[in-house]
Amino acid sequence: MDLNLLVALDALLEEGSVQGAADRLHLTQPAMSRALARLRRATGDEILVRTGRTMTPTPRAVELREQVGDLVARARDVLSPVREVDLAALTRVFTVQGHDALVAALAPALVQALSDEAPRAAVRFLGEAPADTPGLARGQVDLEVGAGTSRGPDLRQEVVGEDRVVLVMRAGHRLSRGRLTPARLVTARHLSVSRRGHLTGAVDEALLTQGLRREVLAALPTSGAALTTVASSDAVAVVAERLCGPLISALGLTVRTLPLDLPPAPVVLAWHRRFDADPAHRWLRDHARTALVAALEG
């Protein structure tokens, strides 16, 4: 079935003439006449009959007028871009996955935004998986926050900022005093923060360029777990300064600048391109971006 015939039928019933319908749809009169002929064959009804100089709808056409108009209007709604969303009526459940420090920065702002603007919606926060997962591609995750590890031609990534990494230790730790050099740094026992359980990383690569190697006691999956362990031990850890700032302060930890040339850690939002024009997802991204920028600015 050619659904364009519904549009033609709607125009013919509204205008009551072939020429008027043709003008409305920017068609020639012969093209509209052919459409009317096809409609007559499809419905088994004349639709419009000539009475003098005008065209009069048949009883069947009168019955169809409201139904056809509604169908065409609904089709236009389906095919028109959606630019606004009724947040008060939104019942969607968003899923956000990411690094624990980023989730901690996002959660208060997003929960407040839901309470204030979309009280019938909800958000599910997930921690980083031990390995890369296809959650974004499969529609299981709406938004991913991390360092931009997601890959794929259908995935979007937006760098919203960056955070420098620093050395963190308990108050009174021997490395909290005096000049901190790479040689002194490797005398401490370290904790690694890795969702995959890696004991080595960028810090070790930087140390190797100077012929140094550190001792790593343990790998922890989250910054929070590492900082809690640092607070009750002589181990030290390297974490993001601003994003981990609230927990660092709460635990009374000491922060020192690393004596290594390490690049700042990027903070990235990632999502599937299917959500590019989705107004509800755009609302989620906007609030996530604002919360992360605020956290990075301190």
Side-chain angles (χ1 to χ4, degrees):
M1 180 180 294
D2 183 357
L3 296 182
N4 285 321
L5 288 178
L6 284 176
V7 178
L9 179 57
D10 180 55
L12 286 165
L13 295 178
E14 286 293 320
E15 298 296 331
S17 77
V18 173
Q19 184 61 60
D23 292 341
R24 178 172 172 173
L25 298 182
H26 306 290
L27 298 175
T28 64
Q29 184 173 359
M32 184 54 66
S33 295
R34 288 193 295 272
L36 177 56
R38 294 177 62 196
L39 283 166
R40 286 170 172 166
R41 289 194 297 271
T43 63
D45 189 89
E46 287 295 301
I47 305 298
L48 292 175
V49 295
R50 183 167 296 282
T51 53
R53 294 186 176 182
T54 62
M55 301 286 284
T56 302
T58 65
R60 174 63 172 154
V62 172
E63 291 177 2
L64 290 174
R65 178 179 290 160
E66 184 175 344
Q67 184 179 1
V68 170
D70 181 59
L71 284 172
V72 172
R74 289 166 60 188
R76 287 197 180 107
D77 287 342
V78 169
L79 297 176
S80 298
V82 179
R83 292 184 172 85
E84 295 182 2
V85 60
D86 184 358
L87 292 173
L90 185 66
T91 58
R92 188 162 165 179
V93 177
F94 296 105
T95 299
V96 178
Q97 185 174 38
H99 188 280
D100 67 305
L102 294 170
V103 168
L106 279 179
L110 285 184
V111 168
Q112 190 61 51
L114 287 168
S115 178
D116 293 343
E117 303 174 34
R120 299 178 64 186
V123 60
R124 178 191 297 113
F125 291 102
L126 302 178
E128 285 184 302
D132 290 339
T133 64
L136 287 176
R138 291 181 178 175
Q140 299 163 336
V141 174
D142 293 288
L143 192 64
E144 197 172 81
V145 287
T149 56
S150 298
R151 296 290 184 268
D154 293 330
L155 300 184
R156 304 286 195 241
Q157 294 199 53
E158 176 186 346
V159 179
V160 299
E162 57 185 27
D163 199 359
R164 75 165 184 162
V165 292
V166 293
L167 185 68
V168 182
M169 63 203 73
R170 65 168 176 78
H173 193 283
R174 59 185 177 81
L175 291 188
S176 65
R177 301 178 298 273
R179 181 169 174 262
L180 183 60
T181 63
R184 284 192 72 201
L185 179 64
V186 298
T187 64
R189 309 178 93 183
H190 291 246
L191 300 177
S192 168
V193 180
S194 170
R195 63 172 175 148
R196 295 184 174 90
H198 293 164
L199 293 172
T200 59
V203 172
D204 301 277
E205 293 173 4
L207 288 170
L208 281 176
T209 63
Q210 301 185 46
L212 298 170
R213 189 183 302 272
R214 65 174 179 165
E215 179 185 0
V216 180
L217 286 173
L220 293 105
T222 67
S223 298
L227 292 174
T228 301
T229 305
V230 164
S232 59
S233 71
D234 281 332
V236 299
V238 175
V239 298
E241 181 179 28
R242 293 186 183 275
L243 291 172
C244 294
L247 185 55
I248 290 172
S249 297
L251 293 173
L253 303 177
T254 297
V255 176
R256 298 214 63 182
T257 299
L258 276 169
L260 300 171
D261 185 20
L262 291 179
V267 176
V268 180
L269 293 178
W271 65 93
H272 196 277
R273 67 171 185 159
R274 71 168 69 91
F275 295 125
D276 281 351
D278 179 1
H281 196 276
R282 187 164 55 246
W283 174 86
L284 175 71
R285 298 197 303 268
D286 288 344
H287 277 288
R289 183 186 304 107
T290 299
L292 290 174
V293 169
L296 292 170
E297 290 178 349

